[in-house]
Amino acid sequence: ATVSSSVTTADDGDGDTADADGSHGGAADDPDRIVALDAVPVDSTIRFEARGGDHGVDCILRRIDDGVVAWRNACPHRPEVPLDRGSGAIVRGDDLVCHKHGAQFAGGEGVCTHGPCAGDVLDSVAVSVRDGAVYLSDDRFDAASVLGQ
């Protein structure tokens, strides 16, 4: 299945109240807040859980320029294989790389350009950036929080 992805860019707000490490998310006052924008890496990923009803989905965030992209933390070739095993996904240049099969996923689009799932697309998760933080904006989910921080 083809799923489109887009880079969500930051606004100029400065209302972020995150801890120094930026790792708190899902604050009681805003369950959609994931993490401070500055905590999202350019050369790797950060994991978060998007929750809807009684289930959660393991997801990843990656910063690209002034924006952020998010996907389900799974390789399309083998969905049980996470791209980020907990210490950040492999990034080569602009591409995410599956540690198990070597599949390469293009920058902000998440399209597999090389490997066993060539042409497949990572399952995107809608996020937005405002006031110096990243927020879950995907209607499939009700809340989010950073994992493993």
Side-chain angles (χ1 to χ4, degrees), residues 129-142:
V129 177
R130 65 180 186 274
D131 300 327
V134 181
Y135 292 84
L136 181 66
S137 56
D138 196 306
D139 291 337
R140 297 175 292 179
F141 306 105
D142 305 320

Side-chain angles (χ1 to χ4, degrees), residues 56-110:
V57 176
D58 188 359
C59 302
I60 55 176
L61 290 172
R62 179 166 176 226
R63 191 168 179 167
I64 298 178
D65 299 321
D66 289 334
V68 175
V69 291
W71 298 286
R72 185 170 160 250
N73 187 18
C75 180
H77 175 238
R78 297 270 191 236
E80 71 278 6
V81 175
L83 295 170
D84 182 338
R85 295 178 285 176
S87 57
I90 299 168
V91 174
R92 287 194 193 122
D94 289 335
D95 294 345
L96 280 175
V97 180
C98 176
H99 66 89
K100 184 118 175 145
H101 309 104
Q104 297 176 4
F105 301 92
E109 297 85 29

Side-chain angles (χ1 to χ4, degrees), residues 113-130:
T113 58
H114 175 78
C117 53
D120 286 349
V121 181
L122 296 174
D123 183 12
S124 66
V125 175
V127 295
S128 59
V129 177
R130 65 180 186 274

